[in-house]
Amino acid sequence: MLTIFMFCLAATWSVSAQTAPVPDKYEIETAADCARYNDDVLRCAEWLRTTPYDPTKSGEWLRVAGFLTRWSAGTDEVLYEISEETAPVLGADLLFSAYLAGGAEYALGGGNGRDAAAVARAGGDAVIEVYRANRGTLGKIREVETMIKRRQKER
């Protein structure tokens, strides 16, 4: 009996660990609305970094993308700038979400969210991290590989 309980507990935990932490019903109309969801944004950013991409569960990634896009468009805490470096890689929902999440984490974690270059750098770092973690599933993306090489030369 204990074995069955442990199996059910593990199965439940495994499924919930894959569920994106997007609020069920969120309303974002103003910057003040965005501030209420800052913790949810940080949880989504963590989820993107720690959850392997599974194309069969792309709905979860799309929910995160939608939420982060709405929050990013309305917040006054983060100034997003699409740089020449990051623009080519932002066509994929997964990488766009990572970019937004990285900028949000930087600003909400104490960085200067009004420094567009620093926000873009943090967003680019997040794109690289998520790409590296999911390269096997995503395949090779030339633009991200170029970004990685450019960043390595800057060191």
Side-chain angles (χ1 to χ4, degrees):
M1 187 65 143
L2 181 59
T3 305
I4 293 172
F5 172 75
M6 294 302 287
F7 175 77
C8 290
L9 183 62
T12 301
W13 179 82
S14 175
V15 169
S16 67
Q18 299 300 315
T19 302
V22 175
D24 289 329
K25 296 179 182 178
Y26 60 89
E27 293 182 27
I28 298 177
E29 301 296 327
T30 66
D33 293 337
C34 290
R36 290 185 295 145
Y37 295 106
N38 287 354
D39 289 339
D40 296 302
V41 168
L42 293 173
R43 280 191 286 278
C44 283
E46 163 109 13
W47 184 85
L48 284 171
R49 275 196 332 275
T50 59
T51 305
Y53 178 68
D54 179 353
T56 66
K57 296 183 176 134
S58 63
E60 290 300 303
W61 294 88
L62 292 174
R63 284 179 2 116
V64 170
F67 174 64
L68 290 174
T69 301
R70 289 283 306 271
W71 182 89
S72 299
T75 188
D76 60 0
E77 296 185 52
V78 185
L79 179 61
Y80 289 96
E81 179 179 88
I82 307 300
S83 68
E84 183 179 327
E85 175 190 56
T86 56
V89 302
L90 301 180
D93 288 330
L94 172 62
L95 298 180
F96 184 63
S97 298
Y99 179 79
L100 296 176
E105 277 187 309
Y106 168 77
L108 298 176
N112 180 359
R114 306 305 296 164
D115 180 348
V119 170
R121 179 76 179 184
D125 290 346
V127 165
I128 290 169
E129 182 179 355
V130 170
Y131 172 72
R132 283 181 169 158
N134 294 284
R135 190 179 315 192
T137 306
L138 297 173
K140 188 173 182 176
I141 300 174
R142 184 175 40 95
E143 294 85 358
V144 181
E145 296 289 338
T146 300
M147 182 190 300
I148 292 168
K149 289 176 187 169
R150 189 177 305 130
R151 296 270 176 107
Q152 289 171 342
K153 287 180 184 177
E154 291 173 5
R155 290 184 191 171

